[in-house]
């Protein structure tokens, strides 16, 4: 059921303890939903939330959305039951598990082994359920390269700003926002480190939540910052953030057309018919093999977002 390579521009958090929100989620335009058993669910509500989540996965039509469940972290007494109940109950309609507060490869490997055991026991394809690792502690960031490399089930690394800020003792209560007393972007280091580790191991990089759900300008600023770096998408906590999020993590039409144009122009000019040249002019811009690689990224994001071309290359 793996969702490797699928679009994850917007990843909607849905508390497993809310039957009303679970019922509403299938109709919303998010690329991914994750049904939450962790911080959005009170300890006493977790057993009922597991049952709600299994029923929602089985009973609702989720269309083309990536279906994920966030379990509790490996240091809690809930984690093993989360995995067993959700995967035994609805493993055939589940794409991924989100593992929070990943501090070391051992946490991911524990989940990988448990998933393999359950898949074998219930007759699901072994390795079919992916893992998304939340990097949201100082230890997790310190080990992010080893974590990114540690399991073939891994599909994404996700930045968790709220827990991360707490973990490093950041003096702020404004999650994911610039800090008024800090002259730069306090998250630049963590974002680049996570993104580089993800790309080095073929994983998607996902930005975490923006908590002021009514402040769409603040949300957009926070999303644009990571979309510009190359992140694939962001968590959304409210339906009102979804369309904006999809738009921000898709290339705009002009950039998409330009990327396709570079690919076509470069393919033509490097062919026999085009003179087999390596570096060529496209309008007033010089393009070469590195331009082709950059263009591939934008073109792939545009195609995944369903964009179609509005211009063509003329030799
Ligand atoms: C998300 O889990 C966060 O801690 O920001
Ligand atoms: Mg968190």
């Amino acid at each position: 059921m793996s969702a490797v390579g699928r679009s994850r521009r917007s990843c909607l958090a849905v508390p497993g303890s809310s039957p009303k929100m679970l019922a509403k989620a299938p109709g919303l335009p998010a690329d991914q939903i994750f049904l939450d058993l962790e911080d959005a669910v009170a300890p006493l509500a977790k057993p009922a939330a597991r049952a709600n989540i299994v029923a929602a996965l089985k009973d609702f039509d989720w269309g083309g959305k990536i279906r994920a469940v966030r379990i509790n972290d490996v240091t809690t007494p809930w984690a093993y039951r989360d995995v067993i109940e959700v995967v035994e109950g609805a493993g055939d309609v589940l794409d991924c598990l989100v593992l929070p507060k990943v501090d070391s490869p051992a946490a991911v490997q524990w989940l990988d082994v448990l998933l393999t055991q359950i898949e074998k026991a219930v007759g699901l394809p072994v390795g079919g359920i992916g893992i998304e690792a939340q990097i949201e502690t100082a230890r997790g960031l310190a080990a992010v390269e080893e974590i990114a490399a540690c399991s073939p089930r891994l599909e994404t690394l996700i930045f968790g700003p709220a827990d991360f800020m707490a973990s490093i003792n950041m003096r702020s209560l404004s999650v994911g926002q610039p800090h008024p007393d800090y002259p730069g972007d306090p998250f630049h280091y963590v974002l680049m480190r996570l993104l580089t580790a993800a790309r080095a191991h073929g994983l998607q990089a996902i930005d975490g939540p923006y908590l002021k759900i009514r402040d769409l300008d603040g949300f957009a600023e926070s999303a644009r910052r990571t979309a510009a770096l190359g992140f694939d998408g962001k968590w959304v906590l409210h339906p009102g953030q979804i369309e904006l999020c999809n738009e921000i993590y898709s290339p705009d039409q002009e950039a998409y057309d330009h990327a396709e144009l570079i690919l076509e122009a470069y393919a033509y000019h490097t062919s026999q018919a085009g003179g087999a040249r390596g570096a060529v002019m496209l309008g007033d811009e010089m393009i070469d093999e590195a331009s082709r690689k950059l263009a591939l990224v934008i073109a792939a994001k545009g195609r995944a977002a369903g964009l179609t071309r509005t211009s063509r290359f003329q030799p």
Side-chain angles (χ1 to χ4, degrees), residues 37-207:
L37 286 168
E38 203 221 16
D39 285 356
V41 177
L44 289 177
K46 290 190 196 279
R50 291 183 191 126
N52 294 341
I53 284 177
V54 169
L57 285 169
K58 289 238 143 316
D59 297 347
F60 301 149
D61 177 2
W62 294 94
K65 290 183 189 20
I66 299 174
R67 298 150 300 180
V69 172
R70 179 166 70 163
I71 62 169
N72 288 280
D73 84 76
V74 298
T75 66
T76 66
W78 304 295
Y80 77 102
R81 271 197 196 286
D82 291 346
V83 184
I84 291 166
E85 287 192 29
V86 169
V87 179
E88 283 191 354
D92 56 331
V93 285
L94 176 71
D95 295 301
C96 287
L97 290 179
V98 177
L99 186 60
K101 302 181 181 68
V102 174
D103 272 357
S104 70
V108 176
Q109 284 154 352
W110 166 82
L111 181 55
D112 189 333
V113 169
L114 183 52
L115 278 170
T116 300
Q117 291 169 350
I118 303 171
E119 285 165 345
K120 283 183 179 166
V122 301
L124 290 168
V126 171
I129 297 174
I131 298 177
E132 304 192 52
Q134 273 193 281
I135 303 298
E136 48 182 353
T137 60
R139 287 189 61 199
L141 188 65
V144 70
E145 279 84 17
E146 294 84 42
I147 291 168
C150 81
S151 164
R153 289 186 192 264
L154 275 170
E155 297 190 13
T156 72
L157 298 181
I158 304 165
F159 178 46
D163 275 300
F164 187 77
M165 289 163 71
S167 166
I168 62 164
N169 290 4
M170 189 182 275
R171 226 176 51 186
S172 167
L173 293 171
S174 302
V175 172
Q177 288 178 269
H179 195 299
D181 295 335
Y182 186 76
D185 176 351
F187 299 104
H188 186 70
Y189 169 74
V190 45
L191 292 170
M192 281 307 270
R193 192 146 174 212
L194 186 152
L195 177 61
T196 310
R199 294 293 181 249
H201 297 282
L203 309 180
Q204 292 185 336
I206 307 295
D207 190 11

